[in-house]
Each structure stands twice: as C-alpha cells, then as structure tokens.
Amino acid sequence: MAKKSSISEENLVIVESPAKAKTIEKFLGNNFLVKSSYGHIRDLAKKDFGIDIANNYLPNYVVSDDKKEVVRELKKLAKSVKTVWLASDEDREGEAIAWHLYDELGLTPENTKRIVFHEITKSAILNAVENPRDINIDLVNAQQARRVLDRLVGFELSPVLWKKVKPSLSAGRVQSVTVRLIVEREREIFAFNPKSSYRVTAVFNVTNADGRVSEMKAELSKRFATLEETEVFLNKCKGAQFKVSDITKKPLKKTPAAPFTTSTLQQEASRKLGFSVGQTMSVAQKLYEAGKITYMRTDSVNLADTALKMASEQITGVMGEEYLKIRKYQTKSKGAQEAHEAIRPTELNKPTVSGSQQEQKLYELIWKRTIASQMSDARLEKTTVQIKADGVSEHFVASGEVIQFDGFLKVYLQSSEHDGETEGEEDAGLLPPMNVGDQLMYEMIEARERWSQKPARYSEAALVKKLEDLGIGRPSTYAPTISTVQNRGYVVKEEREGKERAYRYLALKNDEIFSEQKTEITGAERNKLFPTDVGMVVNDFLMRYFPNIVSYDFTAKVEMQFDEISLGKIVWNESIDEFYKSFHQQVEETLETSERNTGERHLGEDPKTGKPVIVKIGRYGPMAQLGESSEDEEVEKPKFASLQRGQHLETITLEEAIRLFDLPRDLGLYEDKKVVVGIGRFGPYVRHDGKFVSLKKGVDDPLEIELDRAIVLIERKKKSR
DNA sequence: CAGTGAGCGAGCTTCCGCTTGACTT
C-alpha cells in the first residue's frame, strides 16, 4: 500500500534498515512516515587519513557516495515534518548514526527526538515513542574513538607493508589477527608429532533370560603404548572368564542451546547445511527482507515476550504442556552490544516456509532452534557396565543411554563441537539386560593402532567462533572479514587430499591372535582455511615489529578504553593521543630499521652448477631463484621459476626447488613436431604444434609426465573440438 | 590465454562497521 502524500505527515522516523522501516510503519499511525538511513551515512574522508591529527584528531566526515541520494531525500523530508525521531540501534554505532543524521540533516534539539528499542514489536515501538531521550554524546565519542583508531592503524600499517613486503597489501586491527590465527594453527599442525597407541575394543555375547543372545560392544579402559604390551594383554585374554563386575546407572540431563546469534547461526548452517558464512548471511538476508525472520546481524540471545508467548502456544498446542519450559538466556560473548533480538522466525507457528531450497532449509533450522530453546530438558539414563576377567587387571567398559523423556530433542538435535562432524552423538544405544556376576563370552577382541589427532584447521565458521570468543569483529563484519583475508591473498579456502598411513591391527578370535598391517587415509580436508606464503610473511613481519597490534587482546584492551569513554570517564581524543604517539613512533622506526621481508630462504647449492638456490616472494608471488644477480656482465643471469601449487616457502626442499628449473622440458617428437611441457600463467601445460593443453591439478605432474601420456592429452583435446 | 623477477618513479593500493542493491556471465 502506497502512503498518501509524504508531505502531510507530522513525524519522520529514521531507522537503519528499510525492511525494519516497513514493519514499524504498520505499528505507528498515519501521522508517522518511516524511512531508512541504510546504515552509516558518513565516513572519514579518504585523503589525509580523514583526520586532522595536529588538531586533536578532528575527524573530517564526508557523506559516502552511495548515501548522497538518501541524505538528500531525508533532508527534504526532515524540513517538512514537525518532529524527526532518530531510531537507529541502541549501540555505539547506532548512536553515532543518530548523531551524524542530526548533524548532516541540520536538525535542532526542538524538532528532534532520539528513541530506541531492542525488538520490532508493536509494544516495544509504542513504548519507545513514549520515552524519547537525547543523543548520548559520550557513546558517540566512543564510536568516534573506535573509528579513528581503526583508520590510524589501518592507514599507517598498510603502507609499511607496501614498502617492506609487497604493494597493495593491508593490515588492520581485525584482519591481521584473523590471519595470525590461521598462520599459527598451520604451524602447530606442521610441528605436530602424532603419537600412536592401541585402542582395544571387544564384542561380548550376552545371553538374555529367554535364551536369546545379543552382542554388546565394550572398550578397554586403558590404551597401550606399544604393540608388545597389546600382545601381552591379548594373550592374557585367551580363555579368560569375563564377568560383569559392576553396573551403575546415572541420570543424565540435556539442555537446549540458546537461540541463534549471527555467529552460532553461521556455525550450525556450516555444520548441518554445509553453507559458507557468506552464503548463510545472504540467504538470511532474503528471509529477513521477506519478513520471515528477525534481523540476522545480532549478538543477542534474547527473545521478545511476544515470541515467548508464540513459542509457548506452539509447544503446548502441538506437543503438550510437559514439553514447555520458558527460558531466558544470557549472552556470554565479550563485547556484545545486544541492540537486537536473537535470530528467530517472526511467526513461530510456521515450521516451514516457501522460497528457495536454501531459504527453506535455513528457515527450518532457525525455527527448530528457537522452539527447542523454550522446551524442557531431555532426561536420559546412562548405564555403565564394567567387565573383568580373573587374572587380568585391565577392565572393559560398555555404556548405553536410554532416553526417558525426549524434551527438546524432539525437534532439535544439537551437532557436536567437532568441526565437520554431523549431528548425533556416539553410538550409545540401549544395553541388553544384565546382572552383576553374569558370565560373558567374548566374540572377538580387537586392537587397533590409533594416532593422536593434529589440531584442526579452521573452517570459516570455526574461525568466526574463535573471533567471537576473542571479542574481535562484529556480527556485521564476520563474513566480510573472511572475504578480505582471502581477497588479499593471505588465506585460501581449499580441499587437500589425505595421505595413506599404515597401522597395526590385532584381533583375538577363538583364542587365536591374528595380526595385520592395514592402511587408512588421513589428513584429508574440505573447505578449510590455509595461510598462503604472503600471509605467513606478512604475519611474521607484523609479529616482529607490531606485536602489540596483532596481540590477541589488543581489541579487548581498546574496548575497555571505549567503555570508559562511553561512560564519560575519559576524553576520547586524549585516549587516542596516548595510543597514537607511541604507535606512530613504532611505524617510523620500523620504516627506518626493518629489512625488506620477502620470506627469503637459502636452500643450499645446486650440485650441478654450484650456484645458490633461494626461494622468496617476488613481484608475482612465491618463486625460486638459481644463481645470484650481479653487476658483472660476465656472470650469467639468475634463473627464476614460480613455486607450484602446494609448494611453500617454509617447507620446500632443495631437491624440489632444483627440479622446478627442469621446466620447460622437451618430451620428444610427435608427428615430427616438438612436445614441450612447462608452467605458464594459467598453470602447467603441454605444447605441441603451437597448441596448448592444460594439465589438470592432481592428475598430471609437469615434472613427471612422459611423452606417451602427453600424446594422449593432445589427441583428446583434438577430438573434443 | 601460455611469463614474469634489476632499479627508478609516477600514481595507486589500505582500515572497521552500519546498511542494501547494482552490475553482469
């Protein structure tokens, strides 16, 4: 429904989001016109930092290009109404938006009111209108300090990298710590030394009262460090009489998780639906714009009273009173500002929704999580059975769980913390009935060599969780930050194939021990974040010269300052000055004293020519160099070769680097024309008769490929056209 | 579609946090 002439209204309400504006307009009477500012309308100018450092860090704000039109319209409307209601979010950034609007639209105290609400419900909006206040200038100043600090750090640090590492690179309070996390995790993995031990499991036959026999799995309570110990144990088990030595039953309670925030939604959508964080946000945006869910960029786990009422009706109506338990959740995350509700369906009596498949799936996930958060605990009984044999000191343990009341599990299965793991717990089912003293025959006892797990590489969603734990970044920046570090070439999201690993396997059956060598695939990765060479070199540089900025608690420390500013206890530009004086000196000193950092490594000498072999970051990325450049015309110029996919400055060996200079390589003649293999701008290729055939990664290695195989590829290409 | 890597210097790059579309293949 189009509004009547917009000039006739007496009140103009300005919120941040247009979807929000539409909803709110319905709650307010005809006297109110509701418009959106589309977020911030101004930002620091680009040139000269946008800050007059000598003049108390006076910010120079300009209306952003894409907001000129918005500001023009708001200005016009503001003039035509009696009262302008600034209704941006109640957090640091929202308060600043209100202040920028006030300033830029030329408002006055007489015609302006500041209102806030944390949920988009009729009662919350009407209540806000009843209780206007003034703009909180201390909170605005805290935001200015935040903005100025980020600009100073980003715009002073990035140029240092341009001079010392490579042009166009970037550094910042958030992105540089993000890269650090990934680099350090990669090095932990590289340094990790897996240790093996033997895990022993057994299958016992349990005879029921009616004579039926069922199988029961049990695990030995101890792992053995060596094959010898394992064999000694299995020998002891030969002919041993196993008995049930103990049965304990313990009640177990499971509690639902809090409703979704941006970060937890990204994590669950990644685990259960395989979405990237960017994908989750754009699908959620669609649902939000269609009015199907509440705002998707939030750090709050709170639900509006109206939502609790809807949940209560839905749960009691469909599942019964005993499934209902209304709960209030508290946020645990550092620096949460809770300007919004948790992410929930706008109407809780709709378990499904129309739309694309992705929208349907994400919506259902949100619906289930929201409903489950207001449901009863699940009650389980956990049974643990101990099994022992005379003369054997170690014992087996079998455990089972029985659900006595499913509670919230009826709608929502929480996924485990393990990344990549999908829903469901261990295969703990029901145990067959038994009594202490019962004799059990073993069907089989197996021992399998197992390795300790290396630390897990970050997925996008796991990285977001880590950042949130450290209080770094905000709901609106998690997805963009992950794009930035990839766009800068610091991080890549990749698949890695696993490697084969041999392990020992022993089995005791019919009192005989069998031993076998088996193999497994280990270390395969899908959609995980890896640091690039540039990422590592930049991180090492920052760690050496700016450890304070890339420290994990830098953000937490400055946040404490911002809090003080927002309480009016300290003056914002004095706080910035204290930081900037020493930081700027640090920048100057680094520019003067630090060497160019290209991650250069001397691998040794080429045995054929005696020339040195080095690897470093060149203009076009990581490369190897054979020989040194020299002023002397007599001396041969050095040779260069790019590193291949999967090769890294830190780990490449002399032999691998030397082989890179074998390219381009003559394979021989085919149809009287030369066949040459090399690496070009677009990767490895085979050239024949002026035509190129690309080699697929992981299929053909340019260093290994033979003439026969190359001919196959050439012929295949000929046929395909 | 199929290398490049010296050194100089012009002119450019760059931050974080609020919001949506606007562009196509």
Side-chain angles (χ1 to χ4, degrees):
Chain A
M1 274 283 163
K3 277 245 149 195
K4 294 170 291 183
S5 115
S6 50
I7 309 295
S8 71
E9 269 93 7
E10 289 189 356
N11 299 284
L12 171 66
V13 181
I14 305 177
V15 296
E16 293 182 40
S17 148
K20 204 193 245 189
K22 260 201 308 193
T23 316
I24 290 174
E25 200 153 52
K26 279 186 268 173
F27 296 143
L28 294 164
N30 275 341
N31 243 341
F32 287 82
L33 180 65
V34 187
K35 289 285 174 185
S36 152
S37 75
Y38 293 82
H40 276 293
I41 54 158
R42 298 199 301 200
D43 192 15
L44 295 173
K46 289 255 180 199
K47 85 171 171 358
D48 301 330
F49 285 57
I51 302 166
D52 190 349
I53 293 172
N55 189 10
N56 262 323
Y57 303 88
L58 184 73
N60 174 20
Y61 294 115
V62 292
V63 175
S64 320
D65 280 340
D66 55 337
K67 298 296 165 55
K68 292 226 159 88
E69 188 54 40
V70 177
V71 169
R72 214 177 53 81
E73 200 204 344
L74 290 178
K75 226 180 221 170
K76 202 180 86 189
L77 291 171
K79 285 212 176 77
S80 72
V81 298
K82 227 166 87 184
T83 309
V84 176
W85 304 74
L86 299 175
S88 45
D89 298 344
E90 186 176 33
D91 58 17
R92 201 161 64 204
E93 298 296 328
E95 202 67 19
I97 289 173
W99 176 76
H100 279 295
L101 284 167
Y102 181 87
D103 195 51
E104 189 64 34
L105 303 183
L107 306 179
T108 63
E110 292 73 40
N111 67 3
T112 309
K113 288 179 171 159
R114 167 80 172 124
I115 54 168
V116 294
F117 33 82
H118 297 116
E119 51 191 55
I120 313 302
T121 57
K122 189 165 184 177
S123 63
I125 308 300
L126 295 180
N127 186 47
V129 170
E130 292 297 310
N131 296 289
R133 60 166 171 83
D134 292 328
I135 290 173
N136 178 347
I137 198 66
D138 289 329
L139 196 51
V140 173
N141 286 338
Q143 193 274 347
Q144 298 204 83
R146 200 280 303 156
R147 182 66 193 93
V148 166
L149 177 95
D150 282 337
R151 170 57 66 84
L152 289 172
V153 169
F155 275 35
E156 292 231 349
L157 227 41
S158 300
V160 177
L161 295 180
W162 305 344
K163 291 193 188 77
K164 299 295 181 177
V165 184
K166 214 172 86 117
S168 301
L169 295 177
S170 65
R173 174 175 60 83
V174 172
Q175 61 168 281
S176 296
V177 180
T178 306
V179 174
R180 178 181 172 191
L181 283 166
I182 294 167
V183 170
E184 287 187 347
R185 178 58 55 87
E186 193 66 23
R187 292 204 172 122
E188 274 173 50
I189 292 169
F190 185 67
F192 184 74
N193 188 10
K195 291 204 172 57
S196 82
S197 62
Y198 288 80
R199 177 176 183 243
V200 184
T201 54
V203 176
F204 292 102
N205 288 326
V206 183
T207 314
N208 292 3
D210 58 6
R212 266 192 312 125
V213 176
S214 51
E215 289 188 344
M216 178 178 73
K217 279 187 184 162
E219 183 179 342
L220 196 69
S221 61
K222 178 186 170 173
R223 289 190 180 195
F224 298 108
T226 64
L227 183 65
E228 291 70 36
E229 285 175 76
T230 314
E231 280 173 334
V232 167
F233 172 77
L234 289 181
N235 273 311
K236 279 193 292 188
C237 291
K238 280 186 189 170
Q241 286 286 331
F242 287 96
K243 266 189 215 162
V244 175
S245 57
D246 186 42
I247 299 178
T248 55
K249 295 193 172 184
K250 251 201 315 206
L252 205 71
K253 197 176 79 173
K254 285 190 182 172
T255 306
F260 279 134
T261 61
T262 302
S263 144
T264 53
L265 177 68
Q266 289 171 345
Q267 290 160 47
E268 283 289 88
S270 163
R271 282 192 287 250
K272 289 189 163 167
L273 309 177
F275 288 5
S276 70
V277 304
Q279 213 178 347
T280 299
M281 293 314 283
S282 75
V283 175
Q285 177 87 29
K286 285 262 156 52
L287 290 168
Y288 167 67
E289 284 170 9
K292 289 166 183 162
I293 60 169
T294 54
Y295 196 56
M296 64 281 152
R297 290 185 276 263
T298 176
D299 51 23
S300 171
V301 289
N302 191 52
L303 295 177
D305 287 339
T306 52
L308 296 179
K309 199 164 152 256
M310 284 190 278
S312 156
E313 280 162 14
Q314 176 71 18
I315 294 163
T316 44
V318 177
M319 291 172 280
E321 194 91 32
E322 69 274 26
Y323 280 96
L324 180 69
K325 184 172 182 191
I326 295 296
R327 305 163 189 264
K328 283 273 180 193
Y329 292 88
Q330 294 284 319
T331 179
K332 278 174 283 177
S333 57
K334 245 191 259 177
Q337 308 198 6
E338 307 204 70
H340 307 273
E341 268 190 85
I343 304 170
R344 62 158 172 97
T346 45
E347 292 175 52
L348 289 173
N349 57 357
K350 292 181 180 157
T352 58
V353 85
S354 59
S356 74
Q357 234 183 28
Q358 291 188 333
E359 286 166 40
Q360 294 183 26
K361 282 186 186 162
L362 193 68
Y363 178 87
E364 279 163 39
L365 190 66
I366 294 169
W367 185 84
K368 287 178 177 170
R369 176 90 162 211
T370 309
I371 291 288
S373 78
Q374 301 306 320
M375 291 178 67
S376 322
D377 293 342
R379 289 195 305 275
L380 295 90
E381 186 179 71
K382 183 171 182 173
T383 305
T384 308
V385 176
Q386 244 186 52
I387 301 139
K388 277 196 72 164
D390 291 335
V392 181
S393 53
E394 298 85 358
H395 63 271
F396 284 93
V397 175
S399 62
E401 277 178 11
V402 191
I403 296 182
Q404 294 180 319
F405 176 65
D406 53 0
F408 76 95
L409 292 177
K410 201 178 185 75
V411 298
Y412 195 82
L413 265 180
Q414 224 143 308
S415 56
S416 67
E417 284 299 307
H418 284 287
D419 215 83
E421 207 107 316
T422 38
E423 57 199 60
E425 299 282 350
E426 301 272 302
D427 52 348
L430 190 61
L431 292 181
M434 274 169 290
N435 292 304
V436 172
D438 283 0
Q439 284 212 2
L440 300 174
M441 293 296 295
Y442 74 82
E443 176 74 31
M444 171 145 86
I445 300 179
E446 293 173 293
R448 186 196 190 290
E449 189 178 16
R450 290 238 175 217
W451 270 268
S452 48
Q453 289 280 312
K454 62 180 170 46
R457 286 198 179 80
Y458 287 107
S459 66
E460 289 187 354
L463 185 61
V464 168
K465 179 172 167 33
K466 185 67 186 175
L467 289 173
E468 188 188 33
D469 288 347
L470 293 167
I472 296 171
R474 304 277 311 130
S476 67
T477 61
Y478 294 139
T481 299
I482 283 173
S483 304
T484 300
V485 295
Q486 293 180 63
N487 292 341
R488 295 273 173 275
Y490 294 148
V491 170
V492 285
K493 186 162 97 174
E494 275 185 1
E495 336 266 296
R496 291 275 164 98
E497 276 178 52
K499 287 198 184 103
E500 237 180 39
R501 176 165 69 188
Y503 68 91
R504 305 286 317 178
Y505 171 84
L506 299 170
L508 175 67
K509 205 172 176 182
N510 301 327
D511 283 349
E512 254 185 274
I513 297 177
F514 304 89
S515 172
E516 242 185 290
Q517 176 103 290
K518 293 189 174 192
T519 59
E520 62 183 345
I521 301 290
T522 177
E525 298 273 30
R526 263 196 71 230
N527 284 336
K528 292 294 169 61
L529 300 173
F530 296 79
T532 63
D533 285 324
V534 177
M536 295 200 206
V537 167
V538 166
N539 181 250
D540 292 348
F541 183 85
L542 294 174
M543 285 294 284
R544 177 157 171 208
Y545 295 102
F546 298 95
N548 49 334
I549 306 297
V550 289
S551 144
Y552 288 125
D553 59 6
F554 178 61
T555 291
K557 279 186 184 155
V558 295
E559 280 292 342
M560 279 167 59
Q561 293 277 305
F562 300 153
D563 283 347
E564 300 268 283
I565 296 168
S566 72
L567 293 171
K569 290 185 182 165
I570 54 177
V571 178
W572 80 266
N573 32 19
E574 285 174 12
S575 163
I576 290 293
D577 189 49
E578 199 175 314
F579 164 78
Y580 183 71
K581 275 211 180 92
S582 63
F583 172 66
H584 184 64
Q585 197 186 341
Q586 206 178 347
V587 169
E588 298 276 296
E589 274 169 20
T590 304
L591 284 173
E592 270 173 43
T593 61
S594 71
E595 292 282 311
R596 258 186 78 83
N597 189 336
T598 54
E600 188 168 310
R601 267 181 73 215
H602 292 255
L603 300 183
E605 280 169 9
D606 175 21
K608 265 186 275 174
T609 58
K611 287 180 180 171
V613 176
I614 62 166
V615 288
K616 64 177 185 180
I617 289 184
R619 257 205 295 166
Y620 308 101
M623 62 169 195
Q625 181 180 333
L626 176 64
E628 277 165 310
S629 44
S630 152
E631 302 278 306
D632 196 342
E633 296 277 324
E634 302 286 293
V635 179
E636 209 187 332
K637 277 194 176 170
K639 278 181 162 180
F640 302 96
S642 291
L643 299 201
Q644 279 187 267
R645 257 182 81 85
Q647 291 184 327
H648 294 283
L649 295 183
E650 284 193 21
T651 50
I652 192 170
T653 63
L654 179 63
E655 291 69 32
E656 288 165 344
I658 289 170
R659 293 203 61 188
L660 292 172
F661 297 106
D662 291 347
L663 295 173
R665 198 157 60 94
D666 267 341
L667 293 185
L669 291 179
Y670 175 58
E671 294 173 344
D672 293 334
K673 301 242 168 57
K674 263 205 232 169
V675 178
V676 178
V677 58
I679 299 181
R681 224 145 78 74
F682 309 99
Y685 63 87
V686 171
R687 192 179 68 215
H688 174 252
D689 195 13
K691 294 196 183 74
F692 293 85
V693 187
S694 291
L695 298 185
K696 284 218 183 69
K697 67 173 183 197
V699 180
D700 289 299
D701 184 341
L703 295 170
E704 302 286 349
I705 194 167
E706 305 272 355
L707 183 61
D708 294 354
R709 172 67 185 161
I711 291 171
V712 171
L713 293 174
I714 292 164
E715 283 303 322
R716 188 186 295 168
K717 170 115 186 204
K718 271 189 195 164
K719 257 185 224 154
S720 72
R721 40 178 57 234

